[in-house]
Amino acid sequence: MKNKFKVFFVIFFMCAGLFSQEIQFGKEESLNNITDGPYILWENNKAVIKYILNNNPVSQEVTVQGEGTFSFSLEGFDKDFEISSIPPTIHPSTFSDVSKIFVISDIHGQYDRFVQLLKGNRVIDANLDWSWGNGHLVILGDVFDRGSKVTECLWLIHKLENQAERWQGKVHYLLGNHEVMFLRGDLKYVHDKYKKAAELFKMELPKLYSANSEFGRWLRSKHTIVKINNILFVHGGIHPRVSYWGYNLQDINDKIRRNIDSSDDTIKYSEYLSFLFGSDGPLWYRGYFEDTNTSPQIKQDDMIELAAHLEVSEIVVGHTTQDFINPFFKDKVIPIDTGIKYGDKGEALIWENETFYRAKANGYREQIIFK
Ligand code: ZN
């Protein structure tokens, strides 16, 4: 039984003048005046809500009575946040009879472009609420790193995931190599804003994403691969070598999820885990593409055979940036990372009425596969 109650916070500062300016959620800040968060750390039935407002770290504890969702507002943020004291459930890896699918990849903290593409194609409305009905939204990994609005992206996806369920829709946030790198403590590509936020919190950045944090436990419930109708979605790609271990979609998802926090040695000494977390694994593989240094390109016939082996009609991938969405290998591969990371470009993919479209931020869509 869900218990719903609202909690409002009033945070007191030494300087009351801080409240005179309303901060827009998602606004670009300089490093001298950052606003970031909130981050939630769960301690049994207590939620510790941490955020930065104009370079001031704030921490507030809330005791949650019973199991259920609760929403809260924070001074300085123009959106409410909703969280549940119940840990996230693991979704199935396969879905059928889905009416329409919107797919976007490699957002890399470019919140504004992300919103433009969703809004322009009516996946969300003007209030940034779910308007995709019973359709599915697939986020193909790499929301993390590079850009300065990763937190905003995460809260939007988190909210849409809950809203979609109420419409019998679904959000699939799949892991990319940057989610896994970040969760495993590799902060090479993290925007300075987040290093600064951690410094202000006097915490190590990965602690904000630990397994008992809201973002951390949510991300650790995510899959790497999902099959919807007859289409496979994965961040990097599936190497044909997957058949050596006997391809099992659910098992790959479980193995990656359960080993996100495993030591480098645990991964190194397991041949299968080394493959799953390595450059030929689903998070990193680039072997469908020419001119990549990490993997030789597979042949078209091998690709067609692989799709048959995986029992899918198409494989949709991100990770390897293209100028525009242009399927290849007899339309078996649909690459959709089209440079959202640059901030002012990038497309999305729509599947509706058995037809694939390239979708622009202004809502223009163009059919790309003719059968
Ligand atoms: Zn990637």
Side-chain angles (χ1 to χ4, degrees):
M1 186 56 85
K2 285 198 168 180
N3 231 340
K4 189 158 183 170
F5 50 96
K6 233 174 163 99
V7 182
F8 290 95
F9 298 100
V10 179
I11 309 298
F12 297 98
F13 286 94
M14 297 299 283
C15 172
L18 285 172
F19 293 122
S20 59
Q21 186 197 354
E22 181 69 11
I23 312 291
Q24 292 298 308
F25 190 67
K27 191 177 145 194
E28 187 77 61
E29 305 96 332
S30 84
L31 285 185
N32 297 324
N33 187 20
I34 65 166
T35 292
D36 182 40
Y39 299 92
I40 318 291
L41 303 177
W42 288 100
E43 293 173 10
N44 300 318
N45 63 339
K46 198 173 67 184
V48 182
I49 299 171
K50 300 177 86 66
Y51 61 100
I52 308 272
L53 179 61
N54 296 336
N55 270 22
N56 288 286
V58 183
S59 188
Q60 178 80 36
E61 289 183 9
V62 184
T63 301
V64 181
Q65 309 285 347
E67 290 189 332
T69 59
F70 74 93
S71 54
F72 58 93
S73 312
L74 294 176
E75 197 69 49
F77 292 81
D78 63 1
K79 296 274 181 288
D80 280 3
F81 301 94
E82 187 180 277
I83 54 175
S84 171
S85 59
I86 307 165
T89 48
I90 312 289
H91 293 292
S93 299
T94 306
F95 293 82
S96 52
D97 299 323
V98 173
S99 62
K100 54 182 180 178
I101 312 168
F102 187 90
V103 202
I104 186 165
S105 188
D106 295 77
I107 297 158
H108 285 300
Q110 294 293 341
Y111 175 75
D112 300 313
R113 186 66 182 168
F114 179 36
V115 166
Q116 274 173 12
L117 279 156
L118 294 177
K119 224 196 261 184
N121 290 285
R122 301 178 185 213
V123 178
I124 60 174
D125 64 19
N127 294 322
L128 313 190
D129 289 322
W130 182 258
S131 59
W132 194 235
N134 64 359
H136 287 209
L137 164 63
V138 182
I139 317 250
L140 215 46
D142 281 9
V143 173
F144 274 76
D145 287 345
R146 306 189 197 280
S148 66
K149 293 182 182 173
V150 172
T151 319
E152 288 86 338
C153 293
L154 295 177
W155 276 116
L156 178 59
I157 299 167
H158 189 278
K159 177 186 82 170
L160 294 176
E161 192 177 275
N162 292 331
Q163 291 183 338
E165 295 288 332
R166 292 163 201 161
W167 290 89
Q168 278 75 52
K170 194 140 251 20
V171 174
H172 308 271
Y173 176 7
L174 301 182
L175 298 172
N177 57 305
H178 280 272
E179 275 75 18
V180 173
M181 282 167 79
F182 183 92
L183 292 174
R184 291 181 57 72
D186 182 345
L187 307 180
K188 233 188 339 261
Y189 296 96
V190 172
H191 192 279
D192 285 345
K193 176 183 166 186
Y194 299 109
K195 293 179 179 164
K196 172 88 183 197
E199 207 179 288
L200 291 166
F201 283 132
K202 298 189 170 50
M203 284 177 78
E204 298 287 326
L205 183 52
K207 283 251 163 66
L208 297 168
Y209 289 86
S210 66
N212 63 354
S213 69
E214 179 63 21
F215 283 152
R217 70 184 191 178
W218 180 59
L219 289 160
R220 285 169 178 81
S221 75
K222 297 303 173 205
H223 291 322
T224 301
I225 313 170
V226 69
K227 183 176 169 181
I228 306 174
N229 298 342
N230 219 25
I231 311 161
L232 198 77
F233 299 88
V234 57
H235 180 67
I238 306 289
H239 192 288
R241 194 148 59 94
V242 82
S243 58
Y244 171 80
W245 288 278
Y247 169 72
N248 180 324
L249 201 164
Q250 184 70 51
D251 184 59
I252 294 174
N253 284 333
D254 290 345
K255 286 262 179 349
I256 291 178
R257 197 174 44 247
R258 288 179 189 150
N259 286 284
I260 282 178
D261 298 311
S262 293
S263 69
D264 289 347
D265 278 356
T266 300
I267 291 171
K268 193 168 83 188
Y269 293 121
S270 157
E271 201 189 341
Y272 191 35
L273 290 181
S274 304
F275 166 72
L276 291 180
F277 282 86
S279 60
D280 285 344
L283 300 161
W284 287 92
Y285 186 50
R286 294 189 201 269
Y288 302 160
F289 299 88
E290 288 176 43
D291 303 327
T292 65
N293 298 323
T294 48
S295 323
Q297 190 184 27
I298 75 168
K299 297 190 168 47
Q300 177 167 287
D301 286 351
D302 293 339
M303 187 66 224
I304 291 166
E305 201 178 299
L306 174 66
H309 177 68
L310 303 177
E311 298 179 326
V312 294
S313 48
E314 292 86 14
I315 301 179
V316 180
V317 298
H319 188 54
T320 306
T321 311
Q322 311 291 300
D323 290 336
F324 56 95
I325 296 177
N326 191 21
F328 58 95
F329 284 156
K330 295 208 163 167
D331 300 331
K332 287 288 166 233
V333 176
I334 309 178
I336 69 153
D337 171 7
T338 43
I340 291 175
K341 65 186 169 195
Y342 300 119
D344 57 352
K345 65 188 293 273
E347 307 177 337
L349 179 75
I350 293 177
W351 182 90
E352 195 170 10
N353 300 321
E354 309 280 328
T355 308
F356 285 102
Y357 303 91
R358 299 165 47 198
K360 307 266 190 197
N362 63 6
Y364 172 77
R365 51 165 93 170
E366 182 191 349
Q367 186 174 348
I368 50 167
I369 292 177
F370 298 87
K371 290 184 179 171

